[in-house]
Amino acid sequence: MKTIITYGTFDLFHVGHVRLLQRLKRLGDRLVIGLSTDEFNTQKGKTVVIPYADRKEVLLSCKYVDDVFPEENWEQKRQDIQRENADIFAIGDDWIGKFDDLNDIVDVLYLPRTQDISTTDIKAVMSQIEEDKKKEIKNLFSHLSSLVTKL
Ligand code: C2G
């Protein structure tokens, strides 16, 4: 039984996450994920949209994922790897080199990210839509008020 371990926030679950999990599962038999808690995301400087419990439920519904546990700090990886008896630690190459210190107890791999998709991009699109809607409503009101003044 070959176990793969990875970590992440997985907010606004998207195809970049799916493709990473798919590639990770192909490396072994069991994939476990350290899912960043809402509190740890604050430490990571991330504002999550979807709360931890829902992000966990979404991940567990994914056919590539076998288990999810909370990631609460930067220091827990070593004990997680030992507890899960992980053979491979793998993560996207935006982290390249950052976890090489773990290679005395696990094979450390960095996989290419999926281009042109990120939670940050999705948030930017969502806020742009909100801005456009606000402008539309403002224009509508000013049009209506000009009509009313003509009555
Ligand atoms: N990812 C990807 N392609 C994307 C976006 C994300 O392959 N287009 C990968 C990331 O490289 C990461 C995983 O999906 O391996 C989860 O991404 P995030 O939720 O952004 O996780 P991150 O904040 O990088 O958390 O201790 C490690 C951290 O918790 C990692």
Side-chain angles (χ1 to χ4, degrees), residues 6-11 14 16-17 20 23 36 40 44 46 71 74 77 91-95 99 112-115 117-118:
T6 193
Y7 292 80
T9 300
F10 295 96
D11 193 21
H14 56 66
H17 297 138
L20 178 89
R23 282 177 287 160
S36 310
F40 183 48
K44 286 165 67 175
K46 285 193 162 187
E71 180 190 28
W74 292 113
K77 292 184 176 69
I91 197 163
D93 60 7
D94 42 325
W95 292 93
F99 303 112
R113 281 169 66 94
T114 300
Q115 297 305 310
I117 178 101
S118 73

Side-chain angles (χ1 to χ4, degrees), residues 106-119:
V106 74
D107 291 343
V108 178
L109 296 179
Y110 301 99
L111 303 181
R113 281 169 66 94
T114 300
Q115 297 305 310
D116 307 325
I117 178 101
S118 73
T119 304

